[in-house]
């Protein structure tokens, strides 16, 4: 028994001596193994730190490398996504002006020409304005220096700074954002307190414009699609005729280059507008529901967990930032008077949102809450 213990002790002392010698002389294989051992032990201890750690925290820690990769890809490809939005939107606008507008002026009656001209340009102006403002407007960030008048609800574990209510840390921007909804790669910007209205208005007017283009170009789309199918059929017939004739007797093409480009452009514009209307329309409806409830995308998940937790205790959860459906829309759109529905909603407006994003008092455009609300 003593011999076995002595041999085991000698082997362990030899291993420790090798590790020390490797660290002293910077022997890289030994040093690498030692660093991996320390890192693995730290990861295990971080997952089993205290009793408050649950399965969600463990999964977040395990998937942290995946999150890091996605965040960096989104950050670097944000400019590409913005350029893609500009190119696709500009291509549809050019097709409308070059191909469809002359056809409308020749064939449509005067009232329909007037309607398309007014509504189309108004919708285009609203899309361009709100997209530009959503990109260039900062979402809002907490002050770097601590202030005594800010009611902080927690401390950000990444910024190590006080975090006001409704503020969340964006891993892509690597800073806290006031009333953060999400990070939009198509804007290359966070959607927060100061540009949330611009983002939603862009989604709304872009969806309206795509639906308008799809409905008004329905007949043109089917005519162009039938013409393209006819082109393919004639091309096959020409190949069969050419196979039985000499080179000099090849029949001339039935459709010119301008006609082929026209029909393909109409089909491209209609398919693109219809696809964007479906995808962006679903996103717009989702944000419409959230705004009606007085929530953001992040708060939706937080409130759902809080509601389940309080239900187990026999309590009812009330969103402290909800002023009712109409009140939520007034606060979100900045409507204080009746004329603001026109000047601030139907026309381009750069008015700031209510509040600074640091404190959340009751807005003057909605009545005071009479019932006590349970805060998150």
């Amino acid at each position: 028994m003593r011999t076995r213990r002595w041999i085991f002790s000698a082997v362990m002392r030899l291993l420790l001596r090798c590790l020390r010698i490797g660290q002293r002389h910077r022997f890289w294989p030994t040093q690498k193994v030692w660093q991996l051992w320390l890192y693995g032990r730290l990861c295990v201890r971080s997952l089993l730190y205290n009793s408050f750690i649950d399965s969600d925290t463990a999964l977040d820690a395990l998937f942290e490398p995946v999150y890091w990769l996605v965040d960096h890809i989104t950050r670097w490809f944000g400019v590409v996504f913005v350029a893609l939005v500009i190119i696709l939107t500009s291509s549809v606008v050019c097709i409308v002006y070059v191909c469809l507008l002359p056809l409308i002026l020749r064939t449509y009656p005067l009232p329909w020409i007037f309607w398309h001209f007014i509504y189309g340009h108004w919708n285009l102006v609203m899309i361009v304005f709100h997209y530009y403002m959503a990109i260039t407007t900062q979402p809002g960030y907490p002050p770097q220096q601590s202030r005594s008048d800010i009611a902080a609800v927690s401390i950000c574990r990444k910024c190590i700074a006080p975090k006001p209510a409704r503020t969340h840390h964006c891993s892509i921007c690597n800073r806290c954002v006031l009333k953060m909804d999400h990070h939009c790669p198509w804007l290359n910007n966070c959607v927060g307190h100061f540009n949330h209205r611009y983002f939603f208005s862009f989604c709304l007017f872009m969806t309206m414009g795509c639906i308008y283009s799809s409905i008004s170009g329905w007949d043109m789309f089917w005519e162009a699609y039938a013409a393209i199918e006819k082109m393919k059929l004639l091309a096959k017939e020409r190949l069969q005729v050419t196979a039985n004739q000499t080179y000099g007797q090849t029949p001339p093409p039935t459709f010119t280059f301008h006609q082929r480009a026209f029909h393909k452009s109409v089909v491209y514009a209609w398919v693109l507008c219809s696809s964007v209307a479906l995808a962006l329309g679903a996103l717009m409806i989702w944000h419409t529901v959230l705004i009606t409830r007085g929530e953001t995308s992040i708060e939706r998940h937080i409130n759902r967990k809080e509601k389940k937790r309080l239900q187990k205790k026999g309590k009812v959860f009330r969103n402290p930032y909800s002023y009712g459906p109409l009140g939520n829309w007034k606060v979100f759109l900045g409507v204080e008077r009746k004329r603001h529905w026109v000047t601030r909603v139907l026309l381009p407006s750069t008015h700031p949102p209510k509040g600074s994003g640091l404190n959340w008092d009751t807005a003057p455009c909605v009545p005071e809450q009479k019932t006590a609300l349970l805060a998150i």
Side-chain angles (χ1 to χ4, degrees):
M1 184 65 66
R2 288 184 177 179
T3 306
R4 291 182 180 179
R5 290 182 179 178
W6 184 83
I7 294 174
F8 180 76
S9 301
V11 171
M12 293 302 296
R13 287 196 298 269
L14 180 61
L15 289 176
L16 290 176
R17 186 174 299 178
C18 291
L19 290 175
R20 291 173 182 174
I21 294 174
Q23 290 181 351
R24 187 181 304 171
H25 296 281
R26 297 187 180 277
F27 186 54
W28 70 267
T30 308
Q31 189 176 7
K32 193 68 175 179
V33 171
W34 181 253
Q35 290 177 354
L36 290 175
W37 165 255
L38 294 177
Y39 180 74
R41 188 175 62 177
L42 179 62
C43 291
V44 173
R45 288 184 177 180
S46 64
L47 293 176
L48 304 175
Y49 182 71
N50 53 36
S51 59
F52 294 99
I53 302 298
D54 53 5
S55 59
D56 294 338
T57 307
L59 288 176
D60 289 341
L62 292 175
F63 280 92
E64 190 65 28
V66 180
Y67 298 151
W68 180 88
L69 181 62
V70 173
D71 292 343
H72 279 70
I73 291 176
T74 305
R75 183 184 306 171
W76 289 109
F77 277 83
V79 179
V80 178
F81 291 151
V82 172
L84 188 62
V85 172
I86 296 175
I87 292 173
L88 294 179
T89 306
S90 302
S91 64
V92 173
V93 173
C94 291
I95 290 172
V96 170
Y97 275 104
V98 175
C99 300
L100 301 183
L101 187 59
L103 183 62
I104 291 174
L105 294 176
R106 290 196 309 266
T107 58
Y108 281 36
L110 186 60
W112 277 110
I113 294 176
F114 183 78
W115 156 255
H116 285 296
F117 186 82
I118 297 298
Y119 178 81
H121 285 84
W122 169 78
N123 204 339
L124 179 61
V125 169
M126 297 297 286
I127 291 172
V128 174
F129 170 78
H130 286 103
Y131 188 68
Y132 174 78
M133 294 301 297
I135 293 176
T136 57
T137 303
Q138 292 185 351
Y141 308 106
Q144 297 295 330
Q145 298 179 355
S146 60
R147 289 166 44 183
S148 59
D149 59 338
I150 299 177
V153 297
S154 62
I155 300 296
C156 180
R157 63 178 182 177
K158 296 184 178 180
C159 296
I160 316 298
K163 188 165 63 173
R166 311 187 80 178
T167 299
H168 300 279
H169 187 88
C170 177
S171 57
I172 299 176
C173 298
N174 198 23
R175 63 187 308 181
C176 288
V177 177
L178 299 176
K179 191 194 168 186
M180 178 180 174
D181 188 270
H182 68 287
H183 185 94
C184 182
W186 301 102
L187 300 180
N188 194 27
N189 195 6
C190 266
V191 177
H193 178 63
F194 290 100
N195 64 346
H196 195 181
R197 180 179 66 87
Y198 296 129
F199 165 77
F200 177 79
S201 298
F202 164 72
C203 294
L204 174 63
F205 289 110
M206 177 63 83
T207 304
M208 291 172 55
C210 292
I211 293 175
Y212 159 75
S213 301
S214 299
I215 295 176
S216 60
W218 175 258
D219 295 334
M220 297 181 184
F221 164 73
W222 280 111
E223 292 176 0
Y225 182 78
I228 292 176
E229 292 297 324
K230 188 177 180 180
M231 290 181 200
K232 296 179 181 178
L233 182 61
L234 292 177
K236 292 181 180 179
E237 293 179 355
R238 285 199 302 271
L239 289 176
Q240 295 176 358
V241 172
T242 305
N244 299 325
Q245 294 178 352
T246 60
Y247 180 78
Q249 295 175 341
T250 302
T254 306
F255 291 90
T256 62
F257 173 79
H258 177 74
Q259 291 174 334
R260 293 197 300 271
F262 173 82
H263 295 311
K264 292 181 180 180
S265 298
V266 172
V267 172
Y268 160 78
W270 191 89
V271 171
L272 179 61
C273 290
S274 301
S275 303
V276 173
L278 291 176
L280 196 60
L283 179 64
M284 187 267 298
I285 293 174
W286 166 248
H287 281 277
T288 301
V289 175
L290 292 178
I291 295 170
T292 305
R293 295 175 177 175
E295 298 175 329
T296 62
S297 299
I298 298 177
E299 291 173 352
R300 173 61 177 166
H301 301 287
I302 297 175
N303 293 349
R304 183 183 298 178
K305 291 182 179 180
E306 188 68 12
K307 184 178 179 180
K308 292 181 180 179
R309 186 183 69 84
L310 293 177
Q311 281 180 350
K312 296 179 180 179
K313 297 182 179 181
K315 299 181 181 180
V316 179
F317 173 77
R318 292 286 303 276
N319 184 9
Y321 309 114
S322 177
Y323 309 107
L326 182 59
N328 291 332
W329 279 104
K330 286 183 177 180
V331 172
F332 178 77
L333 298 174
V335 175
E336 300 177 359
R337 302 175 183 176
K338 292 183 177 180
R339 61 183 177 87
H340 288 167
W341 290 103
V342 177
T343 58
R344 293 187 173 184
V345 179
L346 299 181
L347 295 177
S349 176
T350 58
H351 67 278
K354 285 295 177 184
S356 61
L358 302 175
N359 301 314
W360 296 96
D361 301 327
T362 304
C365 58
V366 295
E368 292 286 344
Q369 297 286 343
K370 296 182 180 181
T371 58
L373 298 181
L374 181 62
I376 298 177

